[in-house]
Amino acid sequence: MPAPAREKPGSAAASSEETSGLRPPVRPPQDRRRAASPVPGGPGSTPQPCAQTYPGYEALLATVAATGQEPDAAEAERLRAFGERAAVDGTTLRSLVVRHLAAARAAWPGGATGADGVLAAVQLAVEALCEGYERAQQLAVREQEAARREFIDDLLYGRGEPGFLAERAERFGLRFSHAHAVAVAEGPGPYIEGDLVPRRVERAVTGRFGERNILLTTKNGRLICIAPGDQQDVLTYFAKQAYAATDGGRAAIGRPHPGAGGVVHSYEEALRALDLAGRLDLEDPVLHAADLLVYPVLTRDRQAMADLVRTTLGPLLKARGGPEPYLETLAAYFDAGCVTTQAARTLSLSVRALTYRLGRIHQLTGSDPADPRHRYSLQTAVIGARILNWPERKV
């Protein structure tokens, strides 16, 4: 086979070949050995496994040169399969491509009527190899993501054997020998992993704190951050970033608890805090479960709370227009520290109108909101009504 034409020394093309670190020197035509050493990387790069060329690659080019026919679909799929195997073996894509280009130059077939057909075959081969390589990478990513999702589901639902769960947790940066806390954030819509909002929050958190044994994920449309219990600054920062990224969403942080079960406990505390915030119209963008412990205590005996709501507030059902305006008045009055002017401002009412409503509540229920002896039971009943969703739901 005649040797490819070489540029004269000193020409621009020769200078380009001599200075390029990506193209190996042209081999003599009789040297058809495949490249066996890895393509050199940059300074300090780790050695990569040797990349072999596709078996029969030279024969494929010779056939194309002789017949003018491009490789068929079956040959292209075999090239893809070879590229997939190369990815699994740890070969870099750069090494795989460069070696096949070098093999094409070294084994350029003689007797070809034109270079166009051979170059088209080289292009097809390289594209097929890259497609196979990318196919292997996508499969690996999907398998890793499936394993990660399975672990998160098992962790947050409390499933699986604790020892095996702890072993899997270390792969994702969690060590159950320490206590962990969970922050949960929600926005106006559901989020899934890979969405813009989760990516933005993750970049912000990892950009400031690094990995630092933090696990960021999504669950049931919410953003979730699991961090060591002694790193409350991470959870607080996550909550603030989530609030900003979700355009005014809300976040809740559970208390630290030890072990894998502690993660589930903290996660459930954060969820309950979000639920309470919605029911009680709490305006704080970041809630701490530790600050809301009084509410689970109040509703631990739901039957007793339902009895208190029915007995204390039930007479408001007889009011013209229903009980809702009076419940809203009581909530604003208690939230304002029983300051009439501030409560009236919150409700956009005159002080006279607010005073009239408080008087009607006294008449209907027999309890005076301004009387300290009645105030606690009234306020507790209002909180219970919100939590139990009364009067929309019968209690």
Side-chain angles (χ1 to χ4, degrees), residues 91-174:
T91 303
T92 65
L93 183 59
R94 175 177 177 270
S95 175
L96 184 68
V97 170
V98 169
R99 288 190 176 281
H100 279 78
L101 292 177
R105 295 180 61 188
W108 190 269
T113 56
D116 186 65
V118 179
L119 288 174
V122 171
Q123 178 181 344
L124 185 148
V126 169
E127 287 178 354
L129 289 167
C130 291
E131 287 173 4
Y133 195 96
E134 291 168 357
R135 192 163 63 188
Q137 288 185 318
Q138 291 168 359
L139 178 61
V141 169
R142 284 196 298 269
E143 289 176 347
Q144 184 178 13
E145 180 55 35
R148 185 174 186 267
R149 177 53 55 187
E150 182 182 5
F151 165 73
I152 290 168
D153 289 344
D154 290 347
L155 176 63
L156 297 181
Y157 285 134
R159 298 190 302 235
E161 194 274 323
F164 180 53
L165 196 62
E167 181 181 334
R168 293 159 66 197
E170 292 193 5
R171 294 170 49 195
F172 300 101
L174 302 181

Side-chain angles (χ1 to χ4, degrees), residues 63-339:
T63 300
V64 172
T67 65
Q69 295 181 351
E70 293 186 355
D72 57 18
E75 190 74 42
E77 182 55 35
R78 285 192 290 271
L79 283 160
R80 294 188 190 98
F82 181 83
E84 196 169 350
R85 288 195 303 273
V88 173
D89 292 341
T91 303
T92 65
L93 183 59
R94 175 177 177 270
S95 175
L96 184 68
V97 170
V98 169
R99 288 190 176 281
H100 279 78
L101 292 177
R105 295 180 61 188
W108 190 269
T113 56
D116 186 65
V118 179
L119 288 174
V122 171
Q123 178 181 344
L124 185 148
V126 169
E127 287 178 354
L129 289 167
C130 291
E131 287 173 4
Y133 195 96
E134 291 168 357
R135 192 163 63 188
Q137 288 185 318
Q138 291 168 359
L139 178 61
V141 169
R142 284 196 298 269
E143 289 176 347
Q144 184 178 13
E145 180 55 35
R148 185 174 186 267
R149 177 53 55 187
E150 182 182 5
F151 165 73
I152 290 168
D153 289 344
D154 290 347
L155 176 63
L156 297 181
Y157 285 134
R159 298 190 302 235
E161 194 274 323
F164 180 53
L165 196 62
E167 181 181 334
R168 293 159 66 197
E170 292 193 5
R171 294 170 49 195
F172 300 101
L174 302 181
R175 292 179 175 82
F176 290 153
S177 57
H178 305 292
H180 286 81
V182 182
V184 180
E186 60 184 7
Y191 303 101
I192 61 173
E193 211 143 353
D195 284 351
L196 176 61
V197 168
R199 290 203 314 269
R200 185 183 301 167
V201 174
E202 183 174 8
R203 281 198 303 267
V205 174
T206 56
R208 176 163 180 173
F209 299 101
E211 298 301 326
R212 212 164 126 177
N213 302 326
I214 302 169
L215 179 60
L216 293 158
T217 185
T218 59
K219 184 70 177 170
N220 296 331
R222 301 183 181 95
L223 311 180
I224 295 173
C225 178
I226 305 172
D230 58 355
Q231 297 182 10
Q232 289 292 312
D233 55 335
V234 175
L235 298 173
T236 302
Y237 186 76
F238 161 82
K240 292 180 178 178
Q241 292 299 315
Y243 174 75
T246 56
D247 193 22
R250 181 184 283 132
I253 302 174
R255 294 177 297 163
H257 298 282
V263 174
V264 180
H265 192 177
S266 184
Y267 173 62
E268 291 175 345
E269 285 183 341
L271 290 180
R272 283 197 296 268
L274 288 175
D275 181 61
L276 280 171
R279 292 178 182 273
L280 301 177
D281 295 326
L282 301 179
E283 297 180 354
D284 297 347
V286 180
L287 305 162
H288 293 267
D291 298 335
L292 304 174
L293 291 177
V294 65
Y295 298 108
V297 171
L298 291 175
T299 57
R300 187 158 294 166
D301 189 340
R302 295 182 71 87
Q303 187 57 51
M305 178 59 76
D307 289 342
L308 176 65
V309 171
R310 281 196 305 267
T311 302
T312 305
L313 302 177
L316 294 177
L317 292 170
K318 302 175 183 178
R320 183 183 299 176
E324 286 83 359
Y326 296 100
L327 291 175
E328 185 182 43
T329 299
L330 286 172
Y333 182 67
F334 293 134
D335 289 344
C338 300
V339 177

